[in-house]
Amino acid sequence: MTGLAEDRRERFEGLVRDVVAPIRRYALRRVERADAEDVVADSLLVLWRRLDDVPKGDPLPWCNGVVRRCLANAERSHRRQRSLTERLRFAPPHEQGGGQVINDPSLYRALGRLRPHDRELLRLWAWEDLTPRQLADVLGITPNAAEVRLHRARSRLAKELVAEVQSIKGKFLGLPGQIPTHDTEAT
Amino acid sequence: MNDDLYDRLRAADPLSRSVPVEAGDTFNTRDLMEAAMSTDRTSNPHRPRWIPLVASAGTAAAIVGGVLLFGSDRVDDGAGSGEAPLQLSLPGEAGTSMSSCIPFSVDELARMPVAFAGTVVGVDGVTVNLAVDTWYSGGVAPNVKVAAPGGASTALLGEIEFVDGEQYLITATAGNVNLCGFSGMVAPELRAAFEEAF
């Protein structure tokens, strides 16, 4: 093996050591485990082929961009097999990381009502811990634009959460609420 | 308010932070790394090799109206072969309506007269230039150029976003790239279907 090839392998291995866990977490948060492994495998292949394009300073946002595209491709190839209802519904993958139960269904309902772009932005911010600068890198926009979009997405989520609370209150008091119910719960 | 929102979102992370996700030096990640590194990159970053997992150099597939040729992984950058690039176009809006899609199946895929694996080496306005890594059927040219209908200014054509350096599996009939799942960026399901078909 030539020195150049050896050097490449070392660089790749170093990169993978740094980014494979965040990449894996990103995938596991969005698709089922088996698909997540495929997405990780595809992503590593792209990283190997495009090793020379990886930014030196902070490779993670760039790598996040790669995972997102690989994940989008995996989703596209599955799309045909899912019913329209399933495609429109937003739900987190189940049984991630040892059977974690989702303990905030209200939040997930609110997230589900957001546009996919807003939802993804909020996930990248809160789950992937990306700063606005890193968000900008992932999304290919300026840091200012990222700040503005994040601010808007947060406001929209906050509004949806208020709507959630109001509909629960309405249900409790027997008032006509935003979410129609057939039960009349006694107070 | 924003901090509360942030905390609430983090608390709802479907991935428990205390559960370890495999780090870079565990067995499974090493497998994935070795698999990636074994795809035999050349020194030219835009021409990764496609190594078919099934070596089927003698198999005659039922290709209607096409010539079946398997590109070896020694297909060079085109400097030596002198073949003119194959020109393809993407169907216009009318051609991409869902009602005109035939259901995807490996049998249909195997009948495609033109099929190849290629990597995008350039996107120039309305044309995407792909370097062919493997011909599955219907050609010998080292390059394929795909033109967008109506002079679309981005590389997002139909369902497929063509990105420089990414690899795609493409089929075409009568000079038009087939969408509806018969072409796309390389992904496990599509790759498996191509391997089964050809």
Side-chain angles (χ1 to χ4, degrees):
Chain A
M1 191 180 294
T2 68
L4 204 65
E6 180 90 32
D7 179 59
R8 248 187 143 262
R9 286 180 71 99
E10 273 178 26
R11 276 194 291 139
F12 179 65
E13 288 177 12
L15 176 69
V16 170
R17 256 193 299 276
D18 288 341
V19 304
V20 74
I23 283 178
R24 206 171 241 128
R25 277 196 292 266
Y26 180 94
L28 284 169
R29 284 179 173 121
R30 288 161 178 79
V31 292
E32 303 299 333
R33 184 169 277 271
D35 291 335
E37 282 308 297
D38 283 342
V39 167
V40 171
D42 283 349
S43 303
L44 292 192
L45 184 57
V46 174
L47 293 185
W48 170 245
R49 290 209 315 263
R50 302 193 61 189
L51 192 59
D52 299 320
D53 296 339
V54 178
K56 297 287 185 281
D58 182 9
L60 192 54
W62 191 89
C63 295
N64 257 314
V66 169
V67 187
R68 291 182 71 225
R69 276 203 302 277
C70 290
L71 197 132
N73 288 327
E75 301 259 77
R76 265 195 285 269
S77 68
H78 278 96
R79 197 178 289 159
R80 258 172 277 105
Q81 293 153 24
R82 285 197 242 134
S83 72
L84 187 64
T85 334
E86 280 183 308
R87 273 184 264 150
L88 294 178
R89 181 179 59 97
F90 164 67
H94 300 298
E95 294 187 333
Q96 298 297 354
Q100 165 108 330
V101 173
I102 303 306
N103 54 7
D104 197 346
S106 228
L107 176 67
Y108 274 90
R109 279 195 298 269
L111 280 170
R113 286 194 290 276
L114 296 180
R115 293 179 317 177
H117 281 120
D118 285 337
R119 188 159 58 232
E120 175 64 357
L121 199 58
L122 292 167
R123 288 189 294 206
L124 288 170
W125 171 58
W127 295 346
E128 266 70 43
D129 294 335
L130 299 190
T131 64
R133 154 128 255 140
Q134 290 174 317
L135 283 173
D137 282 346
V138 172
L139 302 172
I141 57 182
T142 67
N144 277 345
E147 294 254 23
V148 169
R149 282 199 207 180
L150 185 58
H151 178 81
R152 275 197 222 133
R154 291 199 288 230
S155 303
R156 286 172 188 148
L157 180 61
K159 263 203 212 113
E160 291 296 339
L161 287 171
V162 167
E164 276 288 313
V165 170
Q166 280 173 348
S167 84
I168 288 171
K169 261 198 230 158
K171 190 173 170 181
F172 188 68
L173 295 172
L175 297 172
Q178 272 123 323
I179 298 173
T181 171
H182 301 294
D183 307 318
T184 44
E185 292 180 293
T187 57
Chain B
M1 168 67 175
N2 285 336
D3 286 338
D4 287 346
L5 199 61
Y6 181 76
D7 290 339
R8 188 169 174 184
L9 276 166
R10 278 180 82 88
D13 187 346
L15 212 55
S16 162
R17 276 157 208 279
S18 63
V19 173
V21 175
E22 295 172 64
D25 53 0
T26 64
F27 187 72
N28 181 254
T29 301
R30 172 129 300 274
D31 274 355
L32 294 180
M33 274 200 285
E34 291 297 334
M37 290 191 281
S38 73
T39 55
D40 190 15
R41 277 188 89 275
T42 64
S43 55
N44 182 338
H46 291 296
R47 294 305 309 280
R49 299 299 187 208
W50 170 265
I51 297 182
L53 294 184
V54 177
S56 44
T59 310
I63 305 291
V64 175
V67 177
L68 178 61
L69 281 167
F70 284 93
S72 76
D73 31 330
R74 273 172 281 289
V75 170
D76 62 19
D77 293 335
S81 73
E83 291 280 345
L86 178 67
Q87 307 276 0
L88 295 175
S89 26
L90 274 134
E93 283 306 308
T96 59
S97 68
M98 288 308 292
S99 61
S100 64
C101 276
I102 54 175
F104 181 86
S105 74
V106 170
D107 289 341
E108 281 298 333
L109 186 62
R111 282 195 271 275
M112 291 295 171
V114 171
F116 66 93
T119 302
V120 177
V121 294
V123 177
D124 167 31
V126 303
T127 302
V128 178
N129 187 7
L130 293 120
V132 179
D133 299 306
T134 302
W135 275 106
Y136 293 103
S137 88
V140 291
N143 285 80
V144 175
K145 294 195 170 178
V146 181
S153 61
T154 70
L156 178 61
L157 305 168
E159 300 166 13
I160 307 177
E161 185 187 353
F162 286 103
V163 176
D164 196 24
E166 298 293 343
Q167 194 175 42
Y168 296 81
L169 292 161
I170 306 282
T171 61
T173 307
N176 279 323
V177 172
N178 293 307
L179 302 175
C180 306
F182 286 99
S183 303
M185 199 184 279
V186 165
E189 241 192 52
L190 192 59
R191 185 193 301 164
F194 267 68
E195 280 163 14
E196 203 183 322
F198 295 110

